[in-house]
Amino acid sequence: MDVATIISIIEFAIEEEPTVATALQEIFTKSDPTSADWAALRAKYAAMDYDKTVTNSQIPPENPPQTS
Amino acid sequence: MKRALISLAGVVALSFLIGCSTANTNTYKGVATTQVAGQTALDAWNQAIPILHPSTNTQYAVRNAFDKWKASMLVVCDAGAAYAAGYGSTNAASLSGALEYAIANATQTKADFLNLLSQAGVNISTNSIP
């Protein structure tokens, strides 16, 4: 992928969805990632939660909060 | 909703494009971009449910596919961390192979997740990319 294509996609994201664009800009400034960078990225993945994000779902959560 | 879907299309296309590289930096960027794409996909799915009224079976299937994709990406991150730590060592080739294997598996789980969303009616076509 050439640089012009990357820039055009990021500019498109900036216009359409600023929060996504910010995340993309942070990613593209990263160079030579260390194991700590990978660990930080792993934490982002680990924090992704279907039931907390898809609040419009009609199915019960996988891990309902404890009431006691 | 439209904005989320359009952005999703862009991010997904980006993650596919830069995901092709095997260099450490580009691999990291691809995996990081895919995380953004996955979160955006979930947001779009959440917005789509009241509009598309998917069956509960479909919702269970999407959640299961998401869980599998997420688990596979955690493995990729672990392999990436090991590769970054061992880069230049005598074990580098083995670590690189492990990372590539993890990426190949994650690519499949990502495709399964996105295909389910597409079949449910969420437009994730990459045709709208400039």
Side-chain angles (χ1 to χ4, degrees):
Chain A
M1 181 169 55
D2 59 64
V3 173
T5 303
I6 294 172
I7 291 173
S8 67
I9 292 175
I10 291 177
E11 287 178 342
F12 182 74
I14 289 171
E15 180 180 337
E16 294 294 333
E17 194 64 60
T19 56
V20 173
T22 300
L24 291 178
Q25 286 174 321
E26 289 175 359
I27 292 167
F28 277 92
T29 57
K30 178 66 66 180
S31 62
D32 200 17
T34 65
S35 57
D37 293 321
W38 280 101
L41 182 55
R42 187 190 197 284
K44 287 185 178 180
Y45 273 105
M48 295 175 72
D49 189 304
Y50 182 94
D51 294 319
K52 289 180 180 175
T53 303
V54 188
T55 54
N56 290 324
S57 176
Q58 289 92 32
I59 61 177
E62 286 179 302
N63 299 301
Q66 302 295 319
T67 54
S68 59
Chain B
M1 175 70 175
K2 182 183 177 185
R3 284 177 47 177
L5 294 183
I6 291 172
S7 297
L8 172 63
V11 174
V12 168
L14 188 62
S15 69
F16 281 135
L17 289 169
I18 63 179
C20 298
S21 174
T22 57
N24 184 34
T25 298
N26 283 347
T27 301
Y28 174 85
K29 289 177 179 178
V31 174
T33 307
T34 301
Q35 189 272 328
V36 177
Q39 185 61 54
T40 308
L42 272 191
D43 291 336
W45 174 239
N46 184 48
Q47 294 175 54
I49 285 177
I51 300 168
L52 301 174
H53 305 294
S55 69
T56 53
N57 282 345
T58 297
Q59 294 182 49
Y60 276 117
V62 170
R63 184 168 68 185
N64 288 338
F66 167 80
D67 287 343
K68 287 181 180 177
W69 169 73
K70 176 182 168 181
S72 70
M73 294 310 295
L74 292 176
V75 174
V76 169
C77 291
D78 288 340
Y83 177 76
Y87 185 74
S89 72
T90 56
N91 202 26
S94 173
L95 295 172
S96 176
L99 177 57
E100 289 183 20
Y101 181 81
I103 289 173
N105 182 51
T107 299
Q108 184 57 55
T109 59
K110 180 173 72 173
D112 292 343
F113 174 47
L114 295 180
N115 284 340
L116 267 177
L117 291 182
S118 181
Q119 290 168 11
V122 178
N123 179 16
I124 53 171
S125 167
T126 58
N127 295 334
S128 60
I129 305 306

